[in-house]
Amino acid sequence: MRKICLALLALTAACSSAPPGGAPAAKSYKIAVIPQGATHEFWKSIHAGAIKASRDLKAEGVDVTVIWKAPLREDDREQQVQVVEGFLAQGISGIVLAPFDRRALVRPVEEAKRAGIPTVVLDSGLDSDQVVSFLASNNHRGGELAAEHMAKLLSGKGKVLLLRYQEGVASTEAREQGFVDGIKAYPGIELISSDQYAGGTRDTAKTAAENLLNRYGNQIQGIFTPNESSTSGTLLALEDVRKAGKITFIGFDASEAFIAAMRAGTLHGIVVQNPFRMGELGVRTMVDHLRGKAVEKKVDTGVQLISPETLDAADSQQLLHPPLAKYLEAGPGGF
Amino acid sequence: MNALSLRGIRKRFGGTVALDGVDLDVAEGEVLAVVGENGAGKSTLLNVIAGALEPDGGEVRPVPRSVAYIRQELSLFPHLTVAENILMGREPSRFGVIDGEAMAARARALLDEFGRPEIAADDIVGRLAPASRQVVEICRALAADARIILMDEPTSSLERADVVRLFASIRKLCARGIAVLYVSHFLEEIREIAARAVVLRDGRSVWAGTLAGVTDEGLIRHMIGRPVEAAFGDSAPEAPGEVVLSVVSIGGASFEVRRGEILGIAGLVGSGRTEMLRAVFGLDAVPGGELKIRDERVDARRLSPVASIRRGIGYLSEDRRIEGLFPHLSVRENLAMTRPEALDVGGWIERLRIKAGDVDDPVVTLSGGNQQKVLLARLLHQGASILLLDEPTRGIDVGTKAEIYELIRALAREGRAILMVSSYLPELFGVCDHLAVMNRGALSAVRPIDEWTPDSVLEAAIGGGSAAA
Amino acid sequence: MRSTTLRRLAPFVGLALVILVFAFLTGAPAQYLSVPNLRIVLAQTVIVAIGAVGMTMIIVSGGIDLSVGSTIALTSVAAALALHRSWPPVAAVTASIVLGGLVGAVNGLVVTRLRVVPFIATLGMLGVARGGAKWLAGEMTVPAPETWINELAVTFPSRAWMVVAPGVWLALILAVAASFALRRTVFGRHVFAIGSNEVAALACGIAVARMKIAIYSLAGCAFGLAGVMQMSRLRQGDPTVAAGLELDIIAAVVIGGGSLSGGQGGILGAMIGALIMAFLRNGCQQVGWPNYIQEIIIGAIIVIAVALESRARERGQGVR
């Protein structure tokens, strides 16, 4: 009992010692960061970026805590809706969200706003004007970059194949559309299949790619895949059916395996985003908003094409190797 | 020397006393008959001896080992072969790999010994006729080298010829010094196979002695604790009314039933009696035939149970456990199954003298005879005026049987038409007005009961060059 | 007798039909029926096939295991982690198999000792194993260093004389062994006996509880091996992989004649069932049909296969 009294005293003392008008500097912020999933490296980079922002802000004297919470299943909108809803009652200051779906998450986000919790949206768009800011790569531009690079490598003629990711994901749909639009500028290049989907995991992507390679493998000169899992699965399939290196292959997103594949000449380019920056800016934008500063409604966090030739350039290396280990704890696997 | 002695065995299930002091001795090489009404505690007693139930009190000596319990197909593996069923748990094997030839040979030897070499060792048991399945169970007991064999109603699904063979092999078992506890409702058969009997009533052993020294009436008196009237009630035939059901070539049968009439269907097990009854009710599809219910003509291909119930036909299955009861539902719900509205549970319980603790208890808590009465009450509550009864007294104790005969006659007197399939000739002769005999899927002409004799029925049932006899 | 033969042949006829229909639908039958495509489909079938070997045992004994997909994810992570920590490949494979067996043993213990019905017990394990996989992997994929394990599920083996992936041979050997065990050994027949009539099995002196634990454990070992294949196929341990795969595996067993009420089923049928689904997926993709059509077709095939089977059974025996 006495301890509680003392604690209360200390608390009231702390509050009353703050200058009138409530200078935000003394406040502490709890910010929930909600990705689409947890296991892809992309989300790890956003996580690391968010942690970096919180540490830097702490050094600047702003107390920010980042709560990282991924939905349990990675392909389930309902789960993500539940995660957002779960935060509403937890006394958090703001939400940084990478919505799985441009519509399903609108209701919980607007409810959060009514409850006084603002949302910053990352990566994939949301059909709502109630959000503080939208930070994303220009995905359509990313698809165009891939198309331009493909055209260059094929010298403007040939047959290519687009293996899509999954139905209803705004970011990858924009990349796919960007690629389709980009290819139109080259009349010598024909897109012979663009209606097949890789599905949610590497395994489904590998299966789909194997099946398509059997059907079209002898006709095509190029393949484009719009995200990490579809690129990874297709790369495995190309290696397995001994077509790796023989078909021009451009993927999206970064991983160690892709870098190795580019060095081995089996992958001819990747379009990368800057998820680390996305996570960092997401948290910073939210804190700025909470502290009453004006923020941009839309922020392009940048896309860039990395080819085997530009692989070792300093800016490429920074994109490819965000300092994950510095900010994230390893699992019990401890690798 | 006694193979088994029981003294003062007691067993309760919750508030119900199932066994309340049973004494019993059976010698090596002896067949001891155990008789009693359903609910007298016979099944519980056998389960105690088999080791499936622990008694609450009393003494079992010696602690029985190698007991085989044969109970109406319940212990078979329908998906497996005859040989596998017979030798389950004792397969000849080397390093865990079954020696198929040795296994088939041993199974064949046992089947030969039982006199049924026509059952192949690699037949799938689920496809055998019921009588053959029983043989498989007995062969398994032989294979298990059991010293005590418990048989619960082993003949209820057997033809006479199989009963004879069963008894022959039971005698062989006795010659080997095996003790057999034989539970049955068929007193004639009991006298044929056993010299001594124990009578159970309300969980107690009330009488034990040699069968030669007691009449059937005496035995029944011990079983139900009071003298019995004529088992089949008065049989003054009423003048039959108009034809309410006529069947034209359904399941090999053509016949008519009148209001107030009880038509019996005799025949061997497997002769197609049940199939015919099911087809008339619309349970199984038939290729053709016609039914006339009162004035309504119905194509047999368009029959269905729903329509039959609407037309006032009630069907009682021969297998109440599988096709009749909803075991986990209450007595009340079971009664109301075909007609949910206007149920007077108490009235039916009183009229049929159903012994039930609470009408909201699951129906499985009732004894077999009372379960059967619940099913009959269901048909009556449904308002059926044409009753199709398949073996209405199977597995029912003598006292309840008499009540059911009386009930069936009363129902006929009230103007219902009744079709009754039975394998038990005395009850057909005691209850029916007319009789027809099924033989390999074809029904004989319907004749008044006075024109039949047990011999002529048997001849009609097995006639036509059957090798069964 | 004739109807039994027909029933035995039915799955083969179904498989042949699927292959032929799609060979024409793709418009390039030569390509669809080419050896490389057959290799692709076989390699894609390995995981479901190995899973189905274990699942057949469980289903024949009257049980079910919904935790297969999660167990495969868990063991694929375990194998990758072991390799990552420089364990010898043999040890990594063994560890995965043993881990799968342990998961199965827990299922068996929960079913027999705690008397939880298999559906619920393994539904619980579905969550526990999936969560365990994510925890073990630190919610990331675990890259596996290059070893011979990666060769197991490769579509075109580096040693040309193997013709198909080593994993395909492994699955085949496992299937033959399991089929023999189920048909010819005391253990296998007791598996059938328990599924056919558990009460009678007890009465015949079969240690039903011990048998069930053994069945779930053995099946778990098969799922562990499937996990190794999954890792080999993706060159990494992925804690999110194989979600929903349990339904594919159960479907394979059921298409192949397995009965969920126990006592019936066979390894050969389950293998055919697995192949039918793989050929369907491969075919739909090559025809260019969208995913939803594949899902509808596979769903319909399952129902049709089981409906045909139960009709055949009704005709085959006049016993109710």
Side-chain angles (χ1 to χ4, degrees):
Chain A
M1 195 63 197
R2 244 180 82 201
K3 271 189 183 164
I4 296 176
C5 288
L6 279 175
L8 277 173
L9 267 175
L11 198 68
T12 39
C15 285
S16 53
S17 72
K27 247 184 110 181
S28 69
Y29 300 106
K30 273 161 70 181
I31 295 174
V33 183
I34 307 170
Q36 287 175 17
T39 48
H40 285 232
E41 202 163 7
F42 185 81
W43 306 116
K44 298 275 170 196
S45 300
I46 288 186
H47 190 182
I51 300 284
K52 176 175 190 291
S54 75
R55 287 189 193 166
D56 291 355
L57 284 163
K58 236 172 232 166
E60 293 164 22
V62 189
D63 184 12
V64 175
T65 314
V66 164
I67 306 166
W68 174 260
K69 178 79 180 146
L72 209 52
R73 288 217 302 268
E74 311 213 348
D75 52 356
D76 192 335
R77 312 153 198 227
E78 174 57 26
Q79 295 260 347
Q80 198 180 32
V81 168
Q82 286 175 10
V83 169
V84 174
E85 287 170 343
F87 273 117
L88 297 191
Q90 288 181 24
I92 53 160
S93 330
I95 295 172
V96 175
L97 170 72
F100 196 89
D101 186 289
R102 52 169 56 254
R103 271 173 291 277
L105 272 297
V106 168
R107 181 188 56 78
V109 163
E110 293 184 352
E111 273 176 18
K113 172 145 197 232
R114 278 201 290 282
I117 304 170
T119 302
V120 165
V121 170
L122 294 185
D123 183 46
S124 206
L126 190 73
D127 287 344
S128 170
D129 53 4
Q130 309 271 303
V131 298
V132 173
S133 181
F134 174 40
L135 291 79
S137 320
N138 187 339
N139 282 307
H140 190 275
R141 178 67 199 136
E144 285 176 353
L145 282 177
E148 286 161 16
H149 189 57
M150 178 76 79
K152 199 180 97 194
L153 292 178
L154 298 181
S155 313
K157 61 179 198 299
K159 290 177 176 166
V160 298
L161 187 150
L162 162 64
L163 179 57
R164 292 174 187 264
Y165 170 51
Q166 218 174 0
E167 295 95 329
V169 184
S171 56
T172 49
E173 275 173 5
R175 293 170 203 168
E176 290 151 9
Q177 193 54 45
F179 183 78
V180 173
D181 292 345
I183 284 292
K184 281 182 188 148
Y186 305 93
I189 295 184
E190 188 193 347
L191 194 56
I192 61 167
S193 167
S194 66
D195 58 354
Q196 289 295 305
Y197 287 86
T201 69
R202 283 176 193 83
D203 193 55
T204 55
K206 187 182 182 192
T207 303
E210 282 174 341
N211 295 343
L212 288 176
L213 283 171
N214 180 63
R215 180 76 179 82
Y216 300 111
N218 297 331
Q219 305 170 32
I220 55 169
Q221 285 79 44
I223 299 181
F224 171 63
T225 50
N227 79 330
E228 204 265 349
S229 65
S230 59
T231 305
S232 178
T234 304
L235 190 59
L236 288 170
L238 281 167
E239 284 168 4
D240 270 12
V241 303
R242 307 270 168 78
K243 287 240 158 56
K246 295 175 188 156
I247 293 176
T248 303
F249 178 31
I250 298 174
F252 212 109
D253 287 339
S255 80
E256 285 305 321
F258 297 174
I259 296 166
M262 282 205 281
R263 295 203 193 282
T266 53
L267 182 61
H268 304 90
I270 48 174
V271 181
V272 293
Q273 315 173 70
N274 199 337
F276 186 80
R277 185 147 171 255
M278 211 182 273
E280 184 185 0
L281 278 184
V283 171
R284 277 195 170 272
T285 305
M286 176 53 76
V287 171
D288 282 351
H289 173 74
L290 292 170
R291 297 174 82 195
K293 294 186 190 168
V295 297
E296 293 281 329
K297 273 305 240 184
K298 199 162 175 181
V299 180
D300 180 2
T301 52
V303 286
Q304 190 177 335
L305 187 120
I306 299 179
S307 65
E309 295 74 37
T310 61
L311 193 53
D312 292 315
D315 60 334
S316 300
Q317 280 301 312
Q318 200 170 359
L319 284 172
L320 293 172
H321 297 291
L324 296 187
K326 193 173 159 193
Y327 296 105
L328 302 180
E329 294 162 23
F335 54 90
Chain B
M1 187 183 161
N2 276 351
L4 187 68
S5 286
L6 305 186
R7 287 293 174 270
I9 300 297
R10 288 193 312 281
K11 178 76 192 172
R12 318 168 60 93
F13 298 104
T16 321
V17 180
L19 295 179
D20 189 18
V22 174
D23 299 338
L24 173 157
D25 294 285
V26 57
E28 287 181 354
E30 184 193 12
V31 179
L32 177 70
V34 179
V35 293
E37 290 192 274
N38 275 5
K42 300 187 300 281
S43 298
T44 311
L45 179 66
L46 293 192
N47 276 311
V48 165
I49 297 172
L53 288 175
E54 192 73 29
D56 297 334
E59 209 179 8
V60 183
R61 254 189 204 177
V63 176
R65 280 196 201 88
S66 60
V67 177
Y69 188 178
I70 297 175
R71 54 191 143 173
Q72 300 181 14
E73 301 175 20
L74 286 178
S75 49
L76 288 174
F77 304 95
H79 303 97
L80 303 188
T81 66
V82 168
E84 284 173 337
N85 267 277
I86 291 176
L87 294 167
M88 183 55 68
R90 58 197 90 252
E91 301 85 350
S93 64
R94 195 177 298 161
F95 308 118
V97 177
I98 290 175
D99 182 345
E101 277 179 31
M103 188 146 134
R106 274 175 66 179
R108 264 197 303 272
L110 288 162
L111 288 165
D112 286 349
E113 185 175 339
F114 188 67
R116 293 298 294 267
E118 78 276 12
I119 301 174
D122 60 352
D123 279 347
I124 299 293
V125 160
R127 293 185 203 155
L128 294 179
S132 307
R133 286 185 226 174
Q134 185 110 45
V135 172
V136 173
E137 275 195 285
I138 291 166
C139 288
R140 184 200 286 159
L142 291 172
D145 222 0
R147 300 307 299 165
I148 301 171
I149 297 183
L150 315 177
M151 296 189 178
D152 192 357
E153 294 282 356
T155 60
S156 62
S157 59
L158 295 191
E159 302 165 14
R160 181 61 203 168
D162 288 314
V163 172
V164 170
R165 276 193 283 216
L166 173 67
F167 286 175
S169 57
I170 288 178
R171 288 188 192 103
K172 274 188 198 163
L173 297 176
C174 293
R176 290 189 193 174
I178 295 170
V180 176
L181 254 69
Y182 187 95
V183 171
S184 175
H185 288 119
F186 298 105
L187 297 184
E188 310 88 323
E189 290 180 5
I190 285 171
R191 287 180 181 281
E192 194 178 335
I193 190 66
R196 284 196 321 124
V198 168
V199 176
L200 293 191
R201 188 175 76 226
D202 300 330
R204 288 192 198 90
S205 45
V206 293
W207 182 86
T210 53
L211 284 160
V214 64
T215 60
D216 279 0
E217 286 71 28
L219 216 46
I220 291 170
R221 201 163 49 239
H222 288 303
M223 284 158 66
I224 62 181
R226 60 187 158 86
V228 272
E229 312 88 62
F232 302 111
D234 78 283
S235 59
E238 306 284 318
E242 73 278 10
V243 172
V244 287
L245 173 73
S246 75
V247 168
V248 183
S249 6
I250 296 181
S254 301
F255 58 89
E256 293 179 339
V257 195
R258 293 167 182 277
R259 257 173 70 89
E261 179 190 34
I262 304 174
L263 171 59
I265 307 283
L268 300 178
V269 172
S271 60
R273 302 169 303 176
T274 295
E275 286 74 7
M276 186 268 287
L277 222 55
R278 290 173 63 90
V280 168
F281 188 60
L283 264 172
D284 295 330
V286 285
E290 194 184 75
L291 204 63
K292 197 173 152 204
I293 301 156
R294 290 178 207 92
D295 295 323
E296 187 188 356
R297 283 175 179 282
V298 190
D299 186 333
R301 283 170 296 191
R302 306 189 49 184
L303 290 170
S304 76
V306 176
S308 296
I309 288 172
R310 198 161 33 76
R311 293 179 182 118
I313 301 182
Y315 168 73
L316 180 77
S317 164
E318 63 176 330
D319 191 339
R320 65 172 169 272
R321 273 174 308 186
I322 294 172
E323 293 182 352
L325 293 167
F326 301 88
H328 304 103
L329 300 189
S330 68
V331 174
R332 180 196 302 277
E333 288 167 299
N334 267 282
L335 269 175
M337 198 52 73
T338 46
R339 181 171 161 232
E341 67 273 13
L343 175 65
D344 170 20
V345 188
W348 291 118
I349 290 202
E350 200 174 314
R351 168 152 189 210
L352 276 75
R353 281 184 274 170
I354 298 172
K355 280 180 218 146
D358 184 332
V359 293
D360 291 314
D361 282 349
V363 77
V364 280
T365 57
L366 271 56
S367 72
N370 284 304
Q371 291 177 1
Q372 190 76 328
K373 288 182 183 174
V374 168
L375 289 179
L376 281 166
R378 179 196 290 170
L379 299 187
L380 301 181
H381 170 61
Q382 171 196 323
S385 58
I386 301 169
L387 298 180
L388 313 178
L389 310 179
D390 197 353
E391 301 280 10
T393 64
R394 169 175 287 182
I396 286 180
D397 56 271
V398 179
T400 312
K401 264 186 189 170
E403 288 181 49
I404 286 183
Y405 298 141
E406 180 48 47
L407 179 69
I408 290 174
R409 296 210 64 87
L411 295 175
R413 276 198 301 275
E414 287 168 13
R416 291 183 181 82
I418 296 171
L419 195 61
M420 173 169 150
V421 165
S422 173
S423 302
Y424 187 45
L425 278 186
E427 78 181 15
L428 287 172
F429 279 97
V431 174
C432 300
D433 305 311
H434 287 82
L435 187 76
V437 181
M438 202 85 178
N439 183 351
R440 270 171 277 161
L443 191 70
S444 74
V446 178
R447 284 194 272 153
I449 193 74
D450 308 338
E451 297 177 19
W452 291 98
T453 64
D455 285 346
S456 66
V457 171
L458 197 62
E459 200 185 312
I462 64 176
S466 166
Chain C
M1 209 53 217
R2 231 187 64 212
S3 72
T4 351
T5 324
L6 268 179
R7 258 171 69 201
R8 295 234 171 91
L9 284 178
F12 290 95
V13 174
L15 178 59
L17 221 63
V18 166
I19 294 175
L20 283 178
V21 165
F22 277 104
F24 284 102
L25 282 177
T26 54
Q31 203 136 26
Y32 188 74
L33 297 174
S34 66
V35 175
N37 194 41
L38 295 182
R39 283 181 184 153
I40 287 172
V41 176
L42 286 175
Q44 288 174 355
T45 318
V46 166
I47 293 168
V48 171
I50 294 178
V53 168
M55 187 66 84
T56 301
M57 269 203 295
I58 292 177
I59 285 181
V60 165
S61 78
I64 191 84
D65 191 341
L66 300 180
S67 66
V68 190
S70 301
T71 308
I72 288 176
L74 176 66
T75 52
S76 85
V77 167
L81 271 180
L83 292 177
H84 202 87
R85 293 188 168 175
S86 315
W87 289 27
V90 175
V93 171
T94 313
S96 283
I97 294 175
V98 168
L99 181 60
L102 283 176
V103 171
V106 172
N107 280 336
L109 284 168
V110 172
V111 168
T112 54
R113 298 281 180 264
L114 301 185
R115 296 179 188 281
V116 177
V117 294
F119 188 95
I120 304 297
T122 58
L123 185 64
M125 183 54 83
L126 179 150
V128 172
R130 177 70 64 184
K134 289 182 182 172
W135 172 70
L136 203 59
E139 298 212 286
M140 307 170 60
T141 56
V142 183
E146 190 67 34
T147 61
W148 56 259
I149 295 179
N150 285 355
E151 277 288 302
L152 285 178
V154 82
T155 315
F156 300 109
S158 54
R159 295 185 182 82
W161 55 264
M162 292 203 97
V163 184
V164 291
V168 175
W169 292 117
L170 212 59
L172 190 70
I173 292 168
L174 188 69
V176 170
S179 188
F180 176 83
L182 273 180
R183 288 180 192 203
R184 291 289 160 80
T185 65
V186 174
F187 174 82
R189 298 323 287 173
H190 286 188
V191 172
F192 273 89
I194 291 173
S196 186
N197 188 345
E198 191 174 324
V199 179
L202 268 173
C204 288
I206 296 172
V208 172
R210 278 223 307 272
M211 281 286 295
K212 280 189 178 173
I213 295 170
I215 290 165
Y216 280 96
S217 304
L218 274 175
C221 291
F223 304 152
L225 182 61
V228 173
M229 294 299 166
Q230 184 72 71
M231 191 218 74
S232 163
R233 201 169 142 71
L234 298 183
R235 316 280 149 82
Q236 61 185 355
D238 181 351
T240 65
V241 82
L245 197 72
E246 55 276 359
L247 299 183
D248 275 12
I249 292 174
I250 293 170
V253 175
V254 166
I255 289 175
S259 159
L260 289 187
S261 50
Q264 263 176 323
I267 300 285
L268 179 64
M271 297 300 105
I272 300 287
L275 280 172
I276 286 180
M277 285 195 296
F279 270 106
L280 267 174
R281 254 185 213 130
N282 173 273
C284 287
Q285 201 121 44
Q286 298 198 21
V287 176
W289 285 344
N291 288 357
Y292 57 84
I293 294 195
Q294 294 178 39
E295 287 166 14
I296 292 171
I297 291 183
I298 292 179
I301 291 262
I302 294 171
V303 175
I304 291 169
V306 175
L308 287 178
E309 166 76 15
S310 69
R311 264 179 77 108
R313 196 174 307 157
E314 249 171 47
R315 287 192 186 163
Q317 59 191 86
V319 183
R320 282 191 308 275

